[in-house]
Amino acid sequence: MTSQQPPLWRRTVAELLGSCLLVMIVVGSGIAAQQLSPNDVGLQLLQNSTATVLGLTVLILVFGPVSGAHFNPVVSLVDWVLGRRSGAGLTLPELGTYVVAQTVGAISGSVAANAMFDVGTSISAKERATTGHLLGEVVATAGLVLLIFALAATKRGALAAPAVGAYIGAAYWFTSSTSFANPAVTVGRIFSDTFAGIAPSSVPGFVVAQLIGAAVGLGLLLILFPAAARTADDVILPHSSETPSPRP
């Protein structure tokens, strides 16, 4: 990373909190939707997706200036891969730290959402790993990666928060999987046997599909925007410290 990046510990806290709040929003709004509209699954999905769109947009705006607001291991992974081409982006130790923070945060968010609605934390029994769902995850993740890094490559990072929120909201509806597109969130949602949950047996397939989607998105990005590697430090939002600090 450049000397203008905030220290790693601060970025780690931002990634942990952001991932925690993101899953809290997804799981909590799913529980609320299930309670408010028990007989209408379509309305439940509308309520869940609307809350996620609004919440994710806000979280990117809040935490983006600190850590880039990745909240997603595939975004961090692609950032690291691109950075190897230009000397920018995350280092390998930083990548590992981000992924651990994102995963711990996601699990914590699920537990907190369960507690708020007094439903108790339990392992989900909702099986999702059909062929259609896995294809949906490939499509959703590829589109997300392409969107995020294309915005950075074209210096339109200011649009990232509403654009990413809008894309995830749309992908709730146009993908069969309802667009998890995030390994940390997928793991976090194991710990809530509610509307937004996913059974542990479905998780490996989802994560593999997400990694394939990330590779597809990266390939499309390099075809369409060959100079994207130079903007790895600006994903999802540009993040810099007012006072230059030594490389962590």
Side-chain angles (χ1 to χ4, degrees):
M1 308 290 278
T2 70
S3 61
Q4 296 297 317
Q5 295 292 338
L8 181 57
W9 70 264
R10 187 176 296 150
R11 287 181 276 137
T12 301
V13 171
E15 286 296 299
L16 190 149
L17 285 175
S19 300
C20 177
L21 289 167
L22 174 58
V23 175
M24 205 181 300
I25 290 165
V26 173
V27 172
S29 63
I31 296 171
Q34 203 169 26
Q35 293 178 352
L36 293 169
S37 309
N39 300 315
D40 192 334
V41 177
L43 185 55
Q44 291 173 14
L45 186 61
L46 178 61
Q47 293 161 339
N48 189 210
S49 61
T50 300
T52 302
V53 169
L54 298 175
L56 179 56
T57 300
V58 171
L59 293 178
I60 292 172
L61 290 173
V62 172
F63 295 107
V66 181
S67 68
H70 292 190
F71 311 149
N72 187 334
V74 297
V75 172
S76 300
L77 177 61
V78 173
D79 183 72
W80 174 75
V81 171
L82 282 176
R84 298 318 91 216
R85 298 163 58 93
S86 64
L90 295 175
T91 65
L92 189 58
E94 289 169 337
L95 170 63
T97 302
Y98 266 48
V99 171
V100 170
Q102 292 156 357
T103 305
V104 171
I107 295 170
S108 302
S110 196
V111 172
N114 294 331
M116 285 194 294
F117 287 90
D118 198 26
V119 299
T121 294
S122 57
I123 301 301
S124 177
K126 184 173 288 188
E127 298 287 347
R128 295 180 182 264
T130 67
T131 301
H133 287 151
L134 298 179
L135 178 58
E137 282 301 287
V138 172
V139 171
T141 308
L144 179 64
V145 167
L146 179 59
L147 168 64
I148 289 170
F149 288 88
L151 289 175
T154 54
K155 307 298 183 183
R156 293 179 295 164
L159 298 175
V164 172
Y167 175 80
I168 292 298
Y172 257 85
W173 292 90
F174 78 76
T175 66
S176 56
S177 64
T178 67
S179 183
F180 284 50
N182 184 327
V185 168
T186 303
V187 171
R189 288 167 69 166
I190 292 174
F191 297 90
S192 187
D193 192 18
T194 59
F195 180 79
I198 180 172
S201 59
S202 296
V203 169
F206 263 54
V207 172
V208 170
Q210 290 156 1
L211 292 172
I212 293 171
V216 172
L218 176 59
L220 292 172
L221 177 76
L222 294 176
I223 291 170
L224 296 171
F225 304 97
R230 292 198 294 268
T231 57
D233 282 331
D234 296 333
V235 174
I236 292 178
L237 288 181
H239 36 293
S240 60
S241 178
E242 292 181 0
T243 304
S245 57
R247 186 186 184 90

